[in-house]
């Protein structure tokens, strides 16, 4: 489609031959492990000068995709998802450059849409009319949607742990759903055997060339979008020697590892063309109950021992045997001198779902939240530095399937009896609303000169309880608010122009009724011994900006008012 030549290169024997989807192994040595090499010299000027004329979807990178002919009727707007600056979460974590690649916004709401769009286009090109895959849910959903457009019949082998809502989504597209009572790895073996017996095309995951290649488009988009964002919001890129800026980190939740494998290849190709300034470090985050890659990485092993019995509620990430994908990833990450593999518990993940939803307005499936929980962990460990540019892939949105993350009492019931309604229709209806107002609403005053910080604090408080919140942008304004109507708790910043937090505190000390109001200091300042002494006995708690989580603050507040 592009006039740029490409060929398949065997990573075991080096043999190079033309790409044909139906030929799944190296014709020289029989290896399954091959990758596409492109004539990057030819691609470079196109990427440098022609992209801006193309629509913002993944086909704008067609010269680096192994598809001969773009087929318009298959397309549903795949790729081109937003890169969102995580203002609130970033502020809570002390990271000014935290970005979210929002893959929930793909046609079937996960980043598997990239894979499906390219893999199905390749199947169409190879005149395949029936195919088989195994999936933990999202691959089956995405492939089913694209297969429907392409007129390809699909067989999806799903482990019985996949939520029923997802299975029904697969079925509605017309795919044959085979529920396998067993692990994902077992479902994969069954699918492979079925495909062999029926002589049908099998989706081969990390050994499928179109699948790995599709994930590169994430890297290409991130480079373009990050550069655009930084250029328009700061002058940090004034002396950038390359066309685009790459982030310091790409973080993703990982199951089989196609995502990081493809993304790393994408960044590497951009780097080889001289279009980005460096190749980012990759962080692969797994669920603790199924973390074969993390175990192997930490034990410094090149081969991962399979986890035979995954123990996690996060079914999407239940690849127990990553096989050679891990070995390749590790090899490449070590060659680049870094990266990380880390795991997080289901509990940490569920907590992070709440943080993402309540602070950033992003409802995610648990598999996606794993990457964010991992980012927080790596920041805490000092592996990711707070001032680095971090892009986290928000891999999927499947709101209806998350049944475990909300406790009881997440909604307030109002029931209006028929009798009441007949007697006094208006009173019956509105009377019910009185249940919604708690007896005593606690009053909180936030004193902070930085608007973003006030918004974050307000948002944390709003999501944690019923509070009446007032904001003051200066010490003077805060004192005034407190004197007019004394609150139950004061949240105070220390560094403010004119009247700083210390001055506010000593002013309050002059009035016995105000001096007794609990004060929680939230500050970005490292305190000297003298300053700590100044605060002693006058504040209820001291919290450092960027070092506490939203529920830590809520805990302090609840303790202060009880
Ligand atoms: C598939 C998937 C992952 C894991 O991606 P891999 O790159 O295949 O390891 C993570 N999150 C979601 C939502 C997924 O669908
Ligand atoms: Zn070979």
């Amino acid at each position: 489609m592009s006039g740029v030549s490409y060929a398949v290169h065997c990573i075991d024997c080096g043999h190079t031959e033309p790409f044909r989807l139906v030929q799944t192994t190296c014709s020289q040595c029989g290896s399954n492990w091959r990758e596409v090499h492109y004539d990057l010299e030819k691609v470079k000027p196109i990427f440098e000068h022609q992209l801006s004329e193309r629509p913002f979807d993944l086909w704008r990178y067609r010269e680096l995709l192994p598809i001969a002919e773009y087929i318009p009727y298959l397309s549903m707007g795949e790729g081109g998802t937003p890169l969102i600056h995580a203002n609130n979460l970033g502020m809570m974590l002390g990271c000014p450059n935290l970005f979210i690649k929002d893959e929930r916004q793909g046609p079937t709401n996960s980043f598997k849409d990239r894979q499906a769009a390219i893999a199905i286009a390749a199947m169409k090109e190879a005149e395949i009319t029936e195919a088989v895959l195994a999936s933990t849910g999202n691959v089956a959903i995405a492939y089913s949607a694209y297969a429907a457009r392409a007129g390809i019949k699909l067989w999806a082998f799903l482990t019985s742990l996949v939520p029923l809502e997802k299975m029904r989504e697969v079925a509605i597209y017309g795919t044959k759903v085979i529920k396998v009572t067993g692990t994902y790895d077992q479902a994969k073996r069954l699918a492979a055997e079925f495909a062999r017996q029926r002589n049908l095309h099998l989706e081969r995951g990390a050994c499928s060339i179109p699948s790995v290649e599709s994930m590169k488009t994430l890297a290409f988009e991130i480079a373009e979008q990050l550069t655009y964002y930084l250029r328009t919001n700061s002058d940090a890129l004034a002396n950038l020697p390359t066309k685009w800026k790459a982030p310091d980190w790409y973080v993703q939740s990982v199951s089989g590892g196609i995502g990081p494998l493809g993304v790393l290849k994408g960044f590497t190709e951009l780097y080889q063309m001289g279009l980005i300034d460096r190749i980012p470090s990759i962080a692969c985050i797994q669920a603790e109950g199924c973390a074969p890659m993390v175990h192997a990485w930490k034990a410094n092993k090149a081969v991962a021992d399979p986890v035979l019995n995954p123990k996690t509620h996060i079914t999407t990430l239940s690849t127990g045997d990553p096989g050679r994908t891990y070995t390749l990833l590790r090899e490449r990450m070590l060659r680049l001198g870094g990266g990380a593999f880390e795991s997080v518990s289901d509990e940490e993940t569920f907590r992070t779902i709440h943080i993402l939803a309540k602070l950033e307005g992003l409802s995610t499936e648990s598999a996606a939240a794993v990457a964010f929980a991992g980012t927080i962990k790596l920041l805490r460990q000092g592996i990711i530095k707070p001032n680095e540019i971090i892009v986290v892939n928000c891999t999927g949105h499947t709101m209806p399937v998350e049944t475990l993350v909300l406790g009881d009492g997440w909604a307030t019931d109002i029931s209006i009896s028929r009798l009441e309604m007949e007697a006094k229709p208006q009173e019956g209806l509105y009377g019910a609303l009185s249940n919604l107002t708690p007896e005593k609403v606690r009053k909180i005053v936030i004193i902070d000169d930085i608007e973003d910080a006030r918004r974050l604090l307000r948002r944390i408080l709003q999501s944690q309880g019923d509070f009446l919140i007032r904001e003051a942008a200066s010490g003077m304004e805060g004192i005034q608010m407190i004197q007019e109507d004394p609150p139950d708790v004061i949240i105070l910043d220390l560094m403010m122009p004119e009247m700083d937090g210390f001055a506010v505190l000593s002013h309050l000390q002059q009035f016995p009724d105000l001096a007794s109001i609990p004060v929680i200091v939230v500050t970005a300042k490292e305190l000297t011994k003298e300053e700590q002494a100044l605060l002693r006995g006058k504040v209820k708690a001291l919290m450092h900006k960027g070092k506490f989580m939203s529920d830590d603050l809520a805990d302090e507040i609840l303790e202060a008012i009880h």
Side-chain angles (χ1 to χ4, degrees):
M1 136 172 87
S2 59
V4 171
S5 65
Y6 55 90
V8 184
H9 176 90
C10 171
I11 65 176
D12 287 311
C13 76
H15 178 66
T16 297
E17 56 195 316
F19 169 62
R20 288 170 56 240
L21 187 66
V22 291
Q23 184 199 326
T24 56
T25 55
C26 171
S27 65
Q28 198 86 1
C29 75
S31 171
N32 280 310
W33 295 88
R34 305 172 312 146
E35 60 182 23
V36 187
H37 289 183
Y38 300 82
D39 183 352
L40 293 179
E41 292 280 311
K42 284 238 175 69
V43 178
K44 181 179 175 175
I46 300 171
F47 270 40
E48 226 161 14
H49 304 297
Q50 291 179 26
L51 294 193
S52 59
E53 293 151 25
R54 299 176 177 178
F56 195 58
D57 61 31
L58 58 74
W59 298 104
R60 85 200 246 111
Y61 311 109
R62 62 189 79 128
E63 283 81 11
L64 289 184
L65 293 170
I67 303 291
E69 204 68 61
Y70 168 59
I71 310 172
Y73 66 80
L74 290 186
S75 186
M76 292 193 275
E78 50 280 356
T81 60
L83 184 74
I84 302 169
H85 184 226
N87 211 335
N88 290 343
L89 181 63
M91 179 132 38
M92 185 177 87
L93 298 170
C95 300
N97 288 309
L98 179 62
F99 296 87
I100 300 173
K101 183 65 173 157
D102 191 7
E103 290 290 292
R104 305 172 316 150
Q105 299 197 38
T108 73
N109 308 108
S110 87
F111 81 131
K112 298 305 193 308
D113 284 319
R114 294 179 191 273
Q115 187 182 336
I118 304 293
I120 297 285
M123 285 184 208
K124 196 72 196 160
E125 216 163 81
E127 295 175 358
I128 287 164
T129 55
E130 197 167 340
V132 182
L133 55 78
S135 168
T136 57
N138 292 342
V139 159
I141 293 173
Y143 276 60
S144 297
Y146 283 91
R149 298 180 79 77
I152 291 173
K153 174 173 176 162
L154 267 191
W155 300 80
F157 286 67
L158 301 170
T159 134
S160 51
L161 299 171
V162 172
L164 277 177
E165 291 85 348
K166 285 195 178 183
M167 290 198 188
R168 284 199 289 266
E169 176 84 0
V170 177
I172 195 123
Y173 293 116
T175 291
K176 282 280 182 201
V177 175
I178 322 288
K179 260 195 250 184
V180 181
T181 307
T183 64
Y184 171 50
D185 293 321
Q186 288 165 334
K188 257 200 312 209
R189 281 196 285 276
L190 220 54
E193 178 54 25
F194 178 79
R196 195 191 62 77
Q197 284 179 10
R198 297 245 182 152
N199 196 24
L200 294 177
H201 177 76
L202 174 71
E203 161 59 41
R204 288 178 162 76
C207 292
S208 154
I209 281 170
S211 293
V212 175
E213 292 297 298
S214 73
M215 294 301 180
K216 298 189 313 193
T217 58
L218 273 163
F220 303 156
E221 288 179 15
I222 289 169
E224 282 201 81
Q225 290 173 301
L226 183 65
T227 308
Y228 180 78
Y229 182 91
L230 294 175
R231 279 243 157 80
T232 30
N233 290 283
S234 74
D235 45 16
L237 299 189
N239 296 318
L240 187 69
T242 50
K243 182 171 174 66
W244 295 314
K245 172 131 196 83
D248 295 293
W249 286 92
Y250 169 80
V251 188
Q252 196 203 293
S253 356
V254 167
S255 183
I258 302 185
L261 200 63
V263 168
L264 190 53
K265 187 169 188 278
F267 279 121
T268 304
E269 286 171 353
L270 291 183
Y271 187 74
Q272 286 167 342
M273 291 187 283
L275 294 175
I276 52 173
D277 53 331
R278 68 196 93 201
I279 299 174
S281 299
I282 308 282
C284 301
I285 318 295
Q286 297 202 287
E288 207 168 83
C290 186
M293 298 195 193
V294 181
H295 298 313
W297 175 261
K298 292 192 172 176
N300 203 15
K301 282 163 53 173
V303 178
D305 292 325
V307 170
L308 296 179
N309 232 326
K311 288 199 171 56
T312 170
H313 292 296
I314 307 168
T315 313
T316 302
L317 302 183
S318 61
T319 300
D321 185 2
R324 193 162 169 193
T325 307
Y326 163 71
T327 307
L328 286 175
L329 262 176
R330 175 177 179 272
E331 205 174 278
R332 289 169 190 186
M333 282 163 58
L334 287 177
R335 201 181 310 139
L336 293 168
F341 286 86
E342 191 48 270
S343 63
V344 294
S345 67
D346 287 10
E347 205 172 78
E348 287 170 282
T349 303
F350 294 163
R351 192 175 165 213
T352 308
I353 289 181
H354 283 280
I355 293 176
L356 277 172
K358 293 183 169 69
L359 295 189
E360 293 295 347
L362 303 177
S363 171
T364 62
E365 76 163 283
S366 50
V370 160
F372 293 87
T375 304
I376 295 171
K377 200 162 175 178
L378 292 171
L379 278 162
R380 293 271 181 276
Q381 294 169 354
I383 292 174
I384 298 181
K385 308 282 186 295
N387 58 342
E388 291 183 304
I389 302 173
I390 309 159
V391 175
V392 185
N393 184 345
C394 185
T395 46
H397 176 155
T398 341
M399 200 159 37
V401 308
E402 295 297 348
T403 52
L404 298 169
V405 296
L406 284 172
D408 294 335
W410 54 271
T412 303
D413 290 328
I414 292 182
S415 79
I416 298 157
S417 75
R418 199 165 53 83
L419 279 178
E420 239 177 313
M421 283 302 282
E422 279 165 5
K424 298 177 245 165
Q426 287 308 315
E427 276 172 50
L429 191 59
Y430 298 132
L433 293 179
S434 64
N435 297 338
L436 293 183
T437 316
E439 276 144 38
K440 181 156 177 19
V441 177
R442 303 294 184 161
K443 292 179 287 191
I444 298 179
V445 166
I446 301 171
I447 309 173
D448 197 318
D449 60 316
I450 297 168
E451 203 223 316
D452 278 351
R454 294 199 303 272
R455 190 191 59 242
L456 174 68
L457 291 167
R458 170 184 285 277
R459 189 55 206 140
I460 289 174
L461 296 170
Q462 282 173 337
S463 66
Q464 302 274 351
D466 272 311
F467 301 108
L468 198 75
I469 303 161
R470 285 172 294 159
E471 293 175 27
S474 70
M476 283 306 290
E477 197 190 338
I479 298 263
Q480 218 167 15
M481 261 180 203
I482 293 166
Q483 279 169 335
E484 271 163 20
D485 181 9
D488 297 286
V489 180
I490 298 164
I491 298 180
L492 179 64
D493 180 26
L494 287 182
M495 284 192 300
M496 291 181 287
E498 288 155 38
M499 189 179 201
D500 69 7
F502 295 102
V504 171
L505 273 174
S506 46
H507 186 88
L508 294 175
Q509 295 296 313
Q510 300 166 23
F511 307 92
D513 53 328
L514 302 184
S516 63
I517 301 172
V519 176
I520 295 175
V521 165
V522 176
T523 179
K525 189 173 163 54
E526 284 302 328
L527 298 183
T528 62
K529 285 235 160 56
E530 293 74 35
E531 286 169 334
Q532 285 175 7
L534 265 177
L535 293 182
R536 203 161 298 136
K538 295 185 194 149
V539 307
K540 181 88 189 138
L542 178 63
M543 314 196 74
H544 281 279
K545 282 181 182 167
K547 298 228 173 94
F548 66 87
M549 302 293 283
S550 47
D551 28 7
D552 300 333
L553 179 68
D555 289 347
E556 290 293 348
I557 302 235
L558 292 176
E559 214 186 288
I561 53 188
H562 279 139

